[in-house]
Amino acid sequence: MNRYTPVTEIKGVGEKTAKLFQKLNINNVGDLLAHYPRDYEIYEEPVSIAEAKIGEVCAVYARVLGIPNQKKIRNLVILNVNVRDDSGAMQLTFFNMPFLKKVLMPGGYYLFRGLVQSRGATMIMEQPKLFSLEEYQKQTNRLRPRYALTKGLTNQAVQKAMKQALTFYAFDKEYYPPEIMQKYGLLPYKEALHATHFPVTYEEMLTARKRLVFDEFFGFLLLLRKNKDMTVQMENGYPMFETADTVRFVEQIPFSLTKAQKKVWQEIRDDMGSAGCMNRLIQGDVGSGKTIIAILALLMCAANGYQGALMAPTEVLAVQHYESIMEYTRKFHLIFKPVLLVGSMTAKEKREVYEKIATGEANLIIGTHALIQDKVKYQALALVVTDEQHRFGVRQRETLVEKGENPHVLVMSATPIPRTLAIILYGDLHISVIDELPANRLPIKNCVVNTSYRDKAYEFIAKEVAQGRQAYVICPQVEEGELEDVENVVEYTEKLRAALPASIQIAYLHGKLRPADKNKIMEEFAAHNIDVLVSTTVIEVGINVPNSTVMMVENAERFGLAQLHQLRGRVGRGEHQSYCIFISSKENKETMERLQILNKSNDGFFIASEDLKLRGPGDMFGIRQSGEFAFRVGDIYTDATILQQAAEAVEQLLVEDSGLEKSENEGIRRQLQQLSVWQEELGRTL
Ligand code: ADP
Ligand code: MG
């Protein structure tokens, strides 16, 4: 077996399972092996019922009291079972498992494992797993991988397929030379992969993970260096000077630029007018006002008779940029002739736009990856702006740049990256920072609460809506099934419709909808035809609807702090007081401590650094700081040390063998070729 072998060649994987795998983007054995566990479950020692803590997953060994009580509500069969041990009692509820009625004998002892919750004064578990004591003891204290799943595919099935794949996979020869392996304490790839999926101990898993993270960073940085010689400054092929257009625009917009915005705008003007080509990154926290700076740069470009392009990672965001620039253009009679280019447009629409781009009729092109398709030929592309840069692969930015002849480059990111890391990750860019928020902003009011607060939160949302405001509610998953015990958008929307007054318009949004539908819903929300939007994190980046004042996040414990901060950034974008409600369904100390950081601060840089302190490298595949670089395993914050090591290794390698011609580096050279494919993948968007 190699990475291209279809999954159907794995023993036990038929057409049906293959279809399910496909839903998870797993087509071949390579994809499967890279489907790393989301996290690991440890079957801990059983506790007595008195010791069981509400909000935690526990195992109890208890006796069944009386005959289980079964009832049917519509098509749901509910089985209630009372159990007790010497220390206390508990009520268990099973759904659609009628056969258990015969299995659970009154007076019999069983081991039940599940999330302990409370209903009034009663301790309950819903849908616990059932074991005999011997069965459970065999598995106690071992790490068990938990994979991202889809409806119909069990964790068990993924584990089985994974074991087979690991056994029959023909691993390449180790590709690092021994010096690198030794110097950085790397496990051989084969062992690392085994130990990632089926570690025996926690330590073993950590070492395995380090290898995978190192690989990812090493490959990323090597490609970055190979793609571009960063020491050469390109000559400015499109020298620009400031015209009355930008001056007038700055005076016309209904707010004045902050000091930080003015400074960055000055840096950009200097760059574009200088002898060299601009290569600049604007870092600014969510809501700091990066868009207006981009528009100014694009306006200066258009005023000098050139074309500019603005690329966003999602259609929703591209459309939003287009709409707001259109509005500015109409209102202030700007010289923009903008076009929108996104994947969901019809072939005919696209052709018309291509034409306008090629002839130069359009001087501003706004869109998604559609901007870098082969068919798009620019007339005089002089400025390339990428918004939310971290969502793109470097390769994609480069492709857009290659569409012109050394155009100026401006990239924007809300990711708070410490300077040392930024230099590694964006080695070729100058960095500008917008380090203040517009003055009209009221600080967002935050609260971190448990699920019992939900009804109050709904009341609060209803009140805000009654006052003309709008709200977001975020759930971690699209529909039931992928994760256990987690709210999903589709069902949640139903629940919310029942809980809120009928006059409130509620809609939902998630990544699996067709792009055109997503755009439509976002437009409706922006136009305030929708009051409450239930969504996954698709709205995490860039969305700007300043009338929204409430952000409620369900299962907040599932998200990285940086991601929660991005989500929070969707409110507090206008003059109204805004609120953020983080609902946590886990109440253990660490979760609460982590979420309290958000409660204390609205500052992205501070949050990222605190998060780093609290999170050991233990939370690895589970919580992701997504919203930053789309690394699969690595996390630039928690793995900052590994990132630095990888950077050092790449540097050393290229100093000694810049062409990778030495025989000991042959493995790396081979790997690099495969990485180019992987790079494309990095650019995957929502
Ligand atoms: P981000 O930096 O997150 O991309 P945006 O550029 O979308 O933020 O700006 C957020 C909101 O703030 C927008 O509605 C924008 O018009 C507004 N804004 C930008 N700059 C200022 C400013 N100096 N004063 C007041 N509002 C501003
Ligand atoms: Mg933005």
Side-chain angles (χ1 to χ4, degrees), residues 285-287 289-291 317 320-321 387-388 412 414 541-544 570 573:
D285 208 346
V286 274
K290 295 182 289 295
T291 315
L317 189 52
Q320 177 188 289
H321 282 324
D387 192 15
E388 308 287 350
M412 306 197 288
V541 287
I543 295 304
N544 184 42
R570 298 310 119 218
R573 298 174 83 85

Side-chain angles (χ1 to χ4, degrees), residues 79 93 205 238 322 336 421 433 449 630 633:
L79 191 71
T93 307
M205 184 268 291
Y238 307 95
Y322 179 73
F336 280 136
L421 299 187
V433 184
V449 291
V633 196

